[in-house]
PDB file of all heavy atoms in Angstrom:
ATOM      1  N   VAL A1224      18.704  -6.109 -14.072  1.00 96.00           N
ATOM      2  CA  VAL A1224      18.466  -7.045 -12.991  1.00 96.00           C
ATOM      3  C   VAL A1224      19.744  -7.543 -12.374  1.00 96.00           C
ATOM      4  O   VAL A1224      20.588  -7.955 -13.164  1.00 96.00           O
ATOM      5  CB  VAL A1224      17.526  -8.228 -13.443  1.00 96.00           C
ATOM      6  CG1 VAL A1224      17.313  -9.170 -12.364  1.00 96.00           C
ATOM      7  CG2 VAL A1224      16.191  -7.708 -13.993  1.00 96.00           C
ATOM      8  N   PRO A1225      19.920  -7.426 -11.049  1.00 91.00           N
ATOM      9  CA  PRO A1225      21.141  -7.954 -10.528  1.00 91.00           C
ATOM     10  C   PRO A1225      21.088  -9.509 -10.400  1.00 91.00           C
ATOM     11  O   PRO A1225      20.016 -10.078 -10.229  1.00 91.00           O
ATOM     12  CB  PRO A1225      21.187  -7.377  -9.061  1.00 91.00           C
ATOM     13  CG  PRO A1225      19.722  -7.203  -8.815  1.00 91.00           C
ATOM     14  CD  PRO A1225      19.049  -6.884 -10.082  1.00 91.00           C
ATOM     15  N   GLU A1226      22.215 -10.163 -10.487  1.00 90.00           N
ATOM     16  CA  GLU A1226      22.181 -11.669 -10.359  1.00 90.00           C
ATOM     17  C   GLU A1226      21.974 -12.045  -8.940  1.00 90.00           C
ATOM     18  O   GLU A1226      21.352 -13.104  -8.709  1.00 90.00           O
ATOM     19  CB  GLU A1226      23.529 -12.186 -10.752  1.00 90.00           C
ATOM     20  CG  GLU A1226      23.790 -12.201 -12.341  1.00 90.00           C
ATOM     21  CD  GLU A1226      25.142 -12.885 -12.666  1.00 90.00           C
ATOM     22  OE1 GLU A1226      25.704 -13.634 -11.837  1.00 90.00           O
ATOM     23  OE2 GLU A1226      25.563 -12.651 -13.806  1.00 90.00           O
ATOM     24  N   ALA A1227      22.359 -11.239  -8.015  1.00 89.00           N
ATOM     25  CA  ALA A1227      22.137 -11.515  -6.638  1.00 89.00           C
ATOM     26  C   ALA A1227      21.865 -10.189  -5.830  1.00 89.00           C
ATOM     27  O   ALA A1227      22.340  -9.096  -6.280  1.00 89.00           O
ATOM     28  CB  ALA A1227      23.386 -12.195  -5.974  1.00 89.00           C
ATOM     29  N   ASP A1228      21.059 -10.299  -4.832  1.00 92.00           N
ATOM     30  CA  ASP A1228      20.756  -9.152  -3.982  1.00 92.00           C
ATOM     31  C   ASP A1228      20.286  -9.621  -2.679  1.00 92.00           C
ATOM     32  O   ASP A1228      19.908 -10.770  -2.490  1.00 92.00           O
ATOM     33  CB  ASP A1228      19.676  -8.288  -4.725  1.00 92.00           C
ATOM     34  CG  ASP A1228      19.832  -6.790  -4.196  1.00 92.00           C
ATOM     35  OD1 ASP A1228      20.526  -6.501  -3.304  1.00 92.00           O
ATOM     36  OD2 ASP A1228      19.287  -5.913  -4.948  1.00 92.00           O
ATOM     37  N   GLY A1229      20.249  -8.695  -1.708  1.00 91.00           N
ATOM     38  CA  GLY A1229      19.838  -9.072  -0.374  1.00 91.00           C
ATOM     39  C   GLY A1229      18.547  -8.462   0.021  1.00 91.00           C
ATOM     40  O   GLY A1229      17.975  -7.535  -0.592  1.00 91.00           O
ATOM     41  N   CYS A1230      18.007  -9.011   1.067  1.00 91.00           N
ATOM     42  CA  CYS A1230      16.725  -8.614   1.630  1.00 91.00           C
ATOM     43  C   CYS A1230      16.808  -7.115   2.053  1.00 91.00           C
ATOM     44  O   CYS A1230      17.776  -6.633   2.550  1.00 91.00           O
ATOM     45  CB  CYS A1230      16.415  -9.404   2.931  1.00 91.00           C
ATOM     46  SG  CYS A1230      14.879  -8.986   3.789  1.00 91.00           S
ATOM     47  N   SER A1231      15.737  -6.398   1.729  1.00 90.00           N
ATOM     48  CA  SER A1231      15.672  -4.899   2.003  1.00 90.00           C
ATOM     49  C   SER A1231      15.104  -4.546   3.318  1.00 90.00           C
ATOM     50  O   SER A1231      15.071  -3.385   3.710  1.00 90.00           O
ATOM     51  CB  SER A1231      14.729  -4.266   0.885  1.00 90.00           C
ATOM     52  OG  SER A1231      15.264  -4.387  -0.393  1.00 90.00           O
ATOM     53  N   HIS A1232      14.776  -5.572   4.127  1.00 89.00           N
ATOM     54  CA  HIS A1232      14.317  -5.312   5.494  1.00 89.00           C
ATOM     55  C   HIS A1232      15.448  -5.010   6.423  1.00 89.00           C
ATOM     56  O   HIS A1232      16.601  -5.332   6.142  1.00 89.00           O
ATOM     57  CB  HIS A1232      13.547  -6.490   6.040  1.00 89.00           C
ATOM     58  CG  HIS A1232      12.177  -6.674   5.501  1.00 89.00           C
ATOM     59  ND1 HIS A1232      11.127  -6.088   6.021  1.00 89.00           N
ATOM     60  CD2 HIS A1232      11.697  -7.496   4.526  1.00 89.00           C
ATOM     61  CE1 HIS A1232      10.021  -6.409   5.369  1.00 89.00           C
ATOM     62  NE2 HIS A1232      10.272  -7.300   4.537  1.00 89.00           N
ATOM     63  N   LEU A1233      15.103  -4.456   7.608  1.00 88.00           N
ATOM     64  CA  LEU A1233      16.112  -4.357   8.655  1.00 88.00           C
ATOM     65  C   LEU A1233      16.379  -5.713   9.328  1.00 88.00           C
ATOM     66  O   LEU A1233      15.593  -6.654   9.153  1.00 88.00           O
ATOM     67  CB  LEU A1233      15.506  -3.412   9.801  1.00 88.00           C
ATOM     68  CG  LEU A1233      15.338  -1.903   9.380  1.00 88.00           C
ATOM     69  CD1 LEU A1233      14.666  -1.217  10.544  1.00 88.00           C
ATOM     70  CD2 LEU A1233      16.782  -1.302   9.038  1.00 88.00           C
ATOM     71  N   ALA A1234      17.544  -5.837   9.878  1.00 89.00           N
ATOM     72  CA  ALA A1234      17.879  -7.093  10.595  1.00 89.00           C
ATOM     73  C   ALA A1234      16.846  -7.468  11.592  1.00 89.00           C
ATOM     74  O   ALA A1234      16.198  -6.649  12.123  1.00 89.00           O
ATOM     75  CB  ALA A1234      19.265  -6.993  11.183  1.00 89.00           C
ATOM     76  N   ARG A1235      16.651  -8.802  11.764  1.00 88.00           N
ATOM     77  CA  ARG A1235      15.783  -9.400  12.707  1.00 88.00           C
ATOM     78  C   ARG A1235      14.263  -8.964  12.436  1.00 88.00           C
ATOM     79  O   ARG A1235      13.462  -8.863  13.397  1.00 88.00           O
ATOM     80  CB  ARG A1235      16.151  -9.112  14.106  1.00 88.00           C
ATOM     81  CG  ARG A1235      17.546  -9.653  14.458  1.00 88.00           C
ATOM     82  CD  ARG A1235      17.982  -9.289  15.907  1.00 88.00           C
ATOM     83  NE  ARG A1235      18.076  -7.861  16.240  1.00 88.00           N
ATOM     84  CZ  ARG A1235      19.015  -7.041  15.835  1.00 88.00           C
ATOM     85  NH1 ARG A1235      20.056  -7.502  15.126  1.00 88.00           N
ATOM     86  NH2 ARG A1235      19.045  -5.737  16.160  1.00 88.00           N
ATOM     87  N   HIS A1236      13.887  -8.742  11.211  1.00 88.00           N
ATOM     88  CA  HIS A1236      12.485  -8.361  10.858  1.00 88.00           C
ATOM     89  C   HIS A1236      11.619  -9.575  10.941  1.00 88.00           C
ATOM     90  O   HIS A1236      11.964 -10.686  10.799  1.00 88.00           O
ATOM     91  CB  HIS A1236      12.471  -7.777   9.462  1.00 88.00           C
ATOM     92  CG  HIS A1236      12.837  -8.792   8.348  1.00 88.00           C
ATOM     93  ND1 HIS A1236      11.933  -9.562   7.798  1.00 88.00           N
ATOM     94  CD2 HIS A1236      14.068  -9.074   7.817  1.00 88.00           C
ATOM     95  CE1 HIS A1236      12.537 -10.333   6.854  1.00 88.00           C
ATOM     96  NE2 HIS A1236      13.805 -10.075   6.866  1.00 88.00           N
ATOM     97  N   PRO A1237      10.328  -9.245  11.205  1.00 89.00           N
ATOM     98  CA  PRO A1237       9.283 -10.354  11.113  1.00 89.00           C
ATOM     99  C   PRO A1237       8.864 -10.595   9.652  1.00 89.00           C
ATOM    100  O   PRO A1237       9.114  -9.702   8.787  1.00 89.00           O
ATOM    101  CB  PRO A1237       8.077  -9.782  11.869  1.00 89.00           C
ATOM    102  CG  PRO A1237       8.236  -8.315  11.684  1.00 89.00           C
ATOM    103  CD  PRO A1237       9.735  -8.023  11.616  1.00 89.00           C
ATOM    104  N   GLY A1238       8.342 -11.742   9.333  1.00 89.00           N
ATOM    105  CA  GLY A1238       7.806 -12.008   8.057  1.00 89.00           C
ATOM    106  C   GLY A1238       8.800 -12.433   7.027  1.00 89.00           C
ATOM    107  O   GLY A1238      10.002 -12.749   7.348  1.00 89.00           O
ATOM    108  N   ARG A1239       8.354 -12.411   5.725  1.00 90.00           N
ATOM    109  CA  ARG A1239       9.204 -12.934   4.580  1.00 90.00           C
ATOM    110  C   ARG A1239      10.310 -11.906   4.285  1.00 90.00           C
ATOM    111  O   ARG A1239      10.165 -10.671   4.396  1.00 90.00           O
ATOM    112  CB  ARG A1239       8.317 -13.068   3.418  1.00 90.00           C
ATOM    113  CG  ARG A1239       7.169 -14.047   3.642  1.00 90.00           C
ATOM    114  CD  ARG A1239       6.422 -14.298   2.392  1.00 90.00           C
ATOM    115  NE  ARG A1239       7.107 -15.426   1.651  1.00 90.00           N
ATOM    116  CZ  ARG A1239       6.738 -15.818   0.452  1.00 90.00           C
ATOM    117  NH1 ARG A1239       5.753 -15.281  -0.182  1.00 90.00           N
ATOM    118  NH2 ARG A1239       7.360 -16.777  -0.122  1.00 90.00           N
ATOM    119  N   HIS A1240      11.410 -12.495   3.669  1.00 92.00           N
ATOM    120  CA  HIS A1240      12.526 -11.671   3.154  1.00 92.00           C
ATOM    121  C   HIS A1240      12.011 -11.120   1.751  1.00 92.00           C
ATOM    122  O   HIS A1240      11.195 -11.804   1.111  1.00 92.00           O
ATOM    123  CB  HIS A1240      13.728 -12.459   2.976  1.00 92.00           C
ATOM    124  CG  HIS A1240      14.323 -13.104   4.199  1.00 92.00           C
ATOM    125  ND1 HIS A1240      14.917 -12.361   5.185  1.00 92.00           N
ATOM    126  CD2 HIS A1240      14.327 -14.357   4.584  1.00 92.00           C
ATOM    127  CE1 HIS A1240      15.300 -13.152   6.123  1.00 92.00           C
ATOM    128  NE2 HIS A1240      14.952 -14.361   5.877  1.00 92.00           N
ATOM    129  N   ALA A1241      12.489  -9.962   1.352  1.00 93.00           N
ATOM    130  CA  ALA A1241      12.077  -9.461   0.019  1.00 93.00           C
ATOM    131  C   ALA A1241      13.027  -8.460  -0.526  1.00 93.00           C
ATOM    132  O   ALA A1241      13.681  -7.664   0.265  1.00 93.00           O
ATOM    133  CB  ALA A1241      10.718  -8.819   0.149  1.00 93.00           C
ATOM    134  N   PHE A1242      13.156  -8.397  -1.748  1.00 93.00           N
ATOM    135  CA  PHE A1242      13.806  -7.331  -2.493  1.00 93.00           C
ATOM    136  C   PHE A1242      13.225  -7.025  -3.875  1.00 93.00           C
ATOM    137  O   PHE A1242      12.768  -7.999  -4.495  1.00 93.00           O
ATOM    138  CB  PHE A1242      15.455  -7.408  -2.545  1.00 93.00           C
ATOM    139  CG  PHE A1242      15.893  -8.535  -3.481  1.00 93.00           C
ATOM    140  CD1 PHE A1242      16.084  -8.294  -4.880  1.00 93.00           C
ATOM    141  CD2 PHE A1242      16.175  -9.713  -2.866  1.00 93.00           C
ATOM    142  CE1 PHE A1242      16.531  -9.343  -5.639  1.00 93.00           C
ATOM    143  CE2 PHE A1242      16.712 -10.791  -3.765  1.00 93.00           C
ATOM    144  CZ  PHE A1242      16.847 -10.548  -5.074  1.00 93.00           C
ATOM    145  N   GLU A1243      13.161  -5.774  -4.188  1.00 94.00           N
ATOM    146  CA  GLU A1243      12.676  -5.387  -5.590  1.00 94.00           C
ATOM    147  C   GLU A1243      13.643  -5.749  -6.668  1.00 94.00           C
ATOM    148  O   GLU A1243      14.808  -5.516  -6.484  1.00 94.00           O
ATOM    149  CB  GLU A1243      12.361  -3.907  -5.604  1.00 94.00           C
ATOM    150  CG  GLU A1243      11.766  -3.453  -6.871  1.00 94.00           C
ATOM    151  CD  GLU A1243      11.481  -1.909  -6.882  1.00 94.00           C
ATOM    152  OE1 GLU A1243      11.210  -1.385  -5.760  1.00 94.00           O
ATOM    153  OE2 GLU A1243      11.588  -1.416  -7.969  1.00 94.00           O
ATOM    154  N   VAL A1244      13.172  -6.396  -7.724  1.00 96.00           N
ATOM    155  CA  VAL A1244      14.048  -6.881  -8.737  1.00 96.00           C
ATOM    156  C   VAL A1244      13.751  -6.296 -10.135  1.00 96.00           C
ATOM    157  O   VAL A1244      14.682  -6.246 -10.932  1.00 96.00           O
ATOM    158  CB  VAL A1244      14.013  -8.399  -8.781  1.00 96.00           C
ATOM    159  CG1 VAL A1244      12.757  -8.976  -9.285  1.00 96.00           C
ATOM    160  CG2 VAL A1244      15.251  -9.004  -9.532  1.00 96.00           C
ATOM    161  N   GLN A1245      12.539  -5.909 -10.395  1.00 96.00           N
ATOM    162  CA  GLN A1245      12.198  -5.250 -11.723  1.00 96.00           C
ATOM    163  C   GLN A1245      10.990  -4.441 -11.547  1.00 96.00           C
ATOM    164  O   GLN A1245      10.073  -4.688 -10.770  1.00 96.00           O
ATOM    165  CB  GLN A1245      12.037  -6.327 -12.832  1.00 96.00           C
ATOM    166  CG  GLN A1245      11.876  -5.883 -14.159  1.00 96.00           C
ATOM    167  CD  GLN A1245      12.913  -5.022 -14.754  1.00 96.00           C
ATOM    168  OE1 GLN A1245      12.995  -3.845 -14.382  1.00 96.00           O
ATOM    169  NE2 GLN A1245      13.851  -5.659 -15.475  1.00 96.00           N
ATOM    170  N   THR A1246      10.913  -3.432 -12.466  1.00 94.00           N
ATOM    171  CA  THR A1246       9.725  -2.500 -12.561  1.00 94.00           C
ATOM    172  C   THR A1246       9.286  -2.489 -14.077  1.00 94.00           C
ATOM    173  O   THR A1246      10.140  -2.332 -14.932  1.00 94.00           O
ATOM    174  CB  THR A1246      10.081  -1.107 -12.021  1.00 94.00           C
ATOM    175  OG1 THR A1246      10.498  -1.205 -10.700  1.00 94.00           O
ATOM    176  CG2 THR A1246       8.868  -0.179 -12.111  1.00 94.00           C
ATOM    177  N   GLN A1247       8.037  -2.492 -14.250  1.00 96.00           N
ATOM    178  CA  GLN A1247       7.456  -2.321 -15.629  1.00 96.00           C
ATOM    179  C   GLN A1247       6.628  -1.044 -15.557  1.00 96.00           C
ATOM    180  O   GLN A1247       5.722  -0.881 -14.702  1.00 96.00           O
ATOM    181  CB  GLN A1247       6.655  -3.491 -16.011  1.00 96.00           C
ATOM    182  CG  GLN A1247       7.321  -4.811 -16.321  1.00 96.00           C
ATOM    183  CD  GLN A1247       6.343  -5.928 -16.486  1.00 96.00           C
ATOM    184  OE1 GLN A1247       5.792  -6.423 -15.554  1.00 96.00           O
ATOM    185  NE2 GLN A1247       6.147  -6.185 -17.817  1.00 96.00           N
ATOM    186  N   GLU A1248       6.932  -0.102 -16.381  1.00 94.00           N
ATOM    187  CA  GLU A1248       6.251   1.169 -16.396  1.00 94.00           C
ATOM    188  C   GLU A1248       5.464   1.250 -17.818  1.00 94.00           C
ATOM    189  O   GLU A1248       6.126   1.574 -18.822  1.00 94.00           O
ATOM    190  CB  GLU A1248       7.177   2.316 -16.241  1.00 94.00           C
ATOM    191  CG  GLU A1248       7.754   2.375 -14.857  1.00 94.00           C
ATOM    192  CD  GLU A1248       8.634   3.542 -14.581  1.00 94.00           C
ATOM    193  OE1 GLU A1248       8.871   4.387 -15.491  1.00 94.00           O
ATOM    194  OE2 GLU A1248       9.148   3.725 -13.448  1.00 94.00           O
ATOM    195  N   TYR A1249       4.196   0.999 -17.735  1.00 91.00           N
ATOM    196  CA  TYR A1249       3.415   1.134 -18.921  1.00 91.00           C
ATOM    197  C   TYR A1249       2.861   2.502 -18.936  1.00 91.00           C
ATOM    198  O   TYR A1249       2.117   2.974 -17.977  1.00 91.00           O
ATOM    199  CB  TYR A1249       2.230   0.159 -18.786  1.00 91.00           C
ATOM    200  CG  TYR A1249       2.662  -1.276 -18.932  1.00 91.00           C
ATOM    201  CD1 TYR A1249       2.755  -2.074 -17.725  1.00 91.00           C
ATOM    202  CD2 TYR A1249       2.865  -1.888 -20.071  1.00 91.00           C
ATOM    203  CE1 TYR A1249       3.135  -3.401 -17.800  1.00 91.00           C
ATOM    204  CE2 TYR A1249       3.323  -3.335 -20.168  1.00 91.00           C
ATOM    205  CZ  TYR A1249       3.375  -3.953 -18.981  1.00 91.00           C
ATOM    206  OH  TYR A1249       3.837  -5.315 -19.015  1.00 91.00           O
ATOM    207  N   PRO A1250       3.002   3.260 -20.084  1.00 89.00           N
ATOM    208  CA  PRO A1250       2.485   4.647 -20.126  1.00 89.00           C
ATOM    209  C   PRO A1250       0.909   4.613 -19.930  1.00 89.00           C
ATOM    210  O   PRO A1250       0.270   3.812 -20.448  1.00 89.00           O
ATOM    211  CB  PRO A1250       2.711   5.064 -21.687  1.00 89.00           C
ATOM    212  CG  PRO A1250       3.910   4.160 -22.050  1.00 89.00           C
ATOM    213  CD  PRO A1250       3.710   2.825 -21.283  1.00 89.00           C
ATOM    214  N   GLY A1251       0.497   5.487 -19.028  1.00 90.00           N
ATOM    215  CA  GLY A1251      -0.893   5.673 -18.755  1.00 90.00           C
ATOM    216  C   GLY A1251      -1.534   4.563 -17.904  1.00 90.00           C
ATOM    217  O   GLY A1251      -2.704   4.538 -17.749  1.00 90.00           O
ATOM    218  N   GLN A1252      -0.700   3.676 -17.379  1.00 89.00           N
ATOM    219  CA  GLN A1252      -1.200   2.607 -16.519  1.00 89.00           C
ATOM    220  C   GLN A1252      -0.447   2.539 -15.204  1.00 89.00           C
ATOM    221  O   GLN A1252       0.685   3.162 -15.066  1.00 89.00           O
ATOM    222  CB  GLN A1252      -1.117   1.293 -17.246  1.00 89.00           C
ATOM    223  CG  GLN A1252      -1.885   1.189 -18.556  1.00 89.00           C
ATOM    224  CD  GLN A1252      -1.697  -0.164 -19.250  1.00 89.00           C
ATOM    225  OE1 GLN A1252      -1.398  -1.195 -18.526  1.00 89.00           O
ATOM    226  NE2 GLN A1252      -1.847  -0.199 -20.536  1.00 89.00           N
ATOM    227  N   GLU A1253      -0.818   1.709 -14.282  1.00 86.00           N
ATOM    228  CA  GLU A1253      -0.136   1.476 -13.046  1.00 86.00           C
ATOM    229  C   GLU A1253       1.210   0.743 -13.315  1.00 86.00           C
ATOM    230  O   GLU A1253       1.293  -0.033 -14.143  1.00 86.00           O
ATOM    231  CB  GLU A1253      -0.945   0.707 -12.077  1.00 86.00           C
ATOM    232  CG  GLU A1253      -1.976   1.517 -11.332  1.00 86.00           C
ATOM    233  CD  GLU A1253      -2.512   0.753 -10.138  1.00 86.00           C
ATOM    234  OE1 GLU A1253      -1.714   0.040  -9.469  1.00 86.00           O
ATOM    235  OE2 GLU A1253      -3.714   0.938  -9.912  1.00 86.00           O
ATOM    236  N   THR A1254       2.180   1.124 -12.473  1.00 90.00           N
ATOM    237  CA  THR A1254       3.454   0.463 -12.570  1.00 90.00           C
ATOM    238  C   THR A1254       3.403  -0.936 -11.953  1.00 90.00           C
ATOM    239  O   THR A1254       2.707  -1.120 -11.014  1.00 90.00           O
ATOM    240  CB  THR A1254       4.482   1.328 -11.749  1.00 90.00           C
ATOM    241  OG1 THR A1254       4.614   2.607 -12.347  1.00 90.00           O
ATOM    242  CG2 THR A1254       5.831   0.625 -11.713  1.00 90.00           C
ATOM    243  N   VAL A1255       4.070  -1.850 -12.583  1.00 93.00           N
ATOM    244  CA  VAL A1255       4.102  -3.260 -12.062  1.00 93.00           C
ATOM    245  C   VAL A1255       5.515  -3.410 -11.391  1.00 93.00           C
ATOM    246  O   VAL A1255       6.499  -3.284 -12.118  1.00 93.00           O
ATOM    247  CB  VAL A1255       3.836  -4.320 -13.071  1.00 93.00           C
ATOM    248  CG1 VAL A1255       3.917  -5.737 -12.527  1.00 93.00           C
ATOM    249  CG2 VAL A1255       2.440  -4.105 -13.734  1.00 93.00           C
TER     250      VAL A1255
END
């Protein structure tokens, strides 16, 4: 996990800012 990161959207995007920070991969189940 990075201590800091930036929004993954293009500049001047509508809606909320967001960036992916962690993934959980459970065998045989959906990824979180």
